[in-house]
């Protein structure tokens, strides 16, 4: 009769598997990886949510609002929940792998909130109105500023080391 549990060596080997982010972002330091993934998560989620809401807006078959008890649940709610989870996870675990996943989740959660910033500011559903452009402008600004900061700070560590020698 064999045990259904894997031997200790196999379990340890599974735990030491390299992070998938190492393959996706080779040469990027673990400290920086979370910021890059947050930026990508934000940009892709913002674009994806705009596409999804447009499909709902033009009434594509099979695509509709999320509702609970007949009440529409805006996607900023999921963003707030996700940011709360990232905050709690940051209090518990700060390993490089976890920081990378938290960075991605942070970017996704922030995009869900920023995409409906105009609604949160006016407290009216202005998503497709002229005032809804505030959300788009804010998201583009976040993408541009964060991307610029990431690009400008890319070689800072290396240049500091070189100037010290």
């Amino acid at each position: 009769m064999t045990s259904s549990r894997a031997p200790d060596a196999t379990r340890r080997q599974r735990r030491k598997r390299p992070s998938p982010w190492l393959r996706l972002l080779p040469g990027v330091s673990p400290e920086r990886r979370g910021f890059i993934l947050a930026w990508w998560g934000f940009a892709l989620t913002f674009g994806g949510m705009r596409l999804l809401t447009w499909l709902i807006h033009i009434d594509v078959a099979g695509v509709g609002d999320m509702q609970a008890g007949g009440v529409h649940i805006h996607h900023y709610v999921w963003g707030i929940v996700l940011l709360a989870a990232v905050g709690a996870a940051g209090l518990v675990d700060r390993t490089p792998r976890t920081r990378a996943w938290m960075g991605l989740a942070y970017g996704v959660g922030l995009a869900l909130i920023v995409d409906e910033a105009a609604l949160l500011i006016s407290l009216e559903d202005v998503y497709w109105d002229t005032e809804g452009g505030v959300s788009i402008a804010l998201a583009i600004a976040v993408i541009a500023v964060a991307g610029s900061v990431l690009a400008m700070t890319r070689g800072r560590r290396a240049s500091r080391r070189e100037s010290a020698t």
Side-chain angles (χ1 to χ4, degrees), residues 1-151:
M1 183 178 225
T2 59
S3 172
S4 62
R5 300 182 82 196
D8 286 340
T10 307
R11 271 189 271 145
R12 269 187 251 124
Q13 189 178 26
R14 251 188 258 138
R15 272 188 245 140
K16 292 183 181 182
R17 254 186 285 160
S19 170
W21 305 118
L22 290 175
R23 281 181 270 138
L24 182 64
L25 299 168
V28 175
S29 71
E31 296 84 17
R32 189 174 172 78
R33 202 173 293 135
F35 290 108
I36 292 170
L37 289 168
W39 183 65
W40 275 107
F42 182 93
L44 294 175
T45 300
F46 177 76
M49 287 311 300
R50 281 284 152 172
L51 174 63
L52 179 64
T53 54
W54 177 69
L55 293 173
I56 293 169
H57 184 70
I58 63 170
D59 204 21
V60 170
V63 181
D65 289 333
M66 181 174 280
Q67 296 189 6
V71 176
H72 171 68
I73 300 176
H74 289 271
H75 51 272
Y76 73 82
V77 173
W78 304 113
I80 292 169
V81 169
L82 193 53
L83 288 184
V86 167
L91 295 172
V92 176
D93 190 0
R94 293 191 185 133
T95 62
R97 178 179 278 203
T98 304
R99 270 199 316 247
W101 283 106
M102 287 189 321
L104 181 62
Y106 179 82
V108 169
L110 188 61
L112 292 172
I113 295 170
V114 168
D115 188 42
E116 293 197 313
L119 178 148
L120 293 167
I121 292 168
S122 67
L123 297 178
E124 293 180 27
D125 196 354
V126 294
Y127 198 86
W128 295 109
D129 296 341
T130 306
E131 295 123 359
V134 168
S135 298
I136 296 170
L138 181 59
I140 290 170
V142 167
I143 293 167
V145 169
S148 297
V149 168
L150 286 170

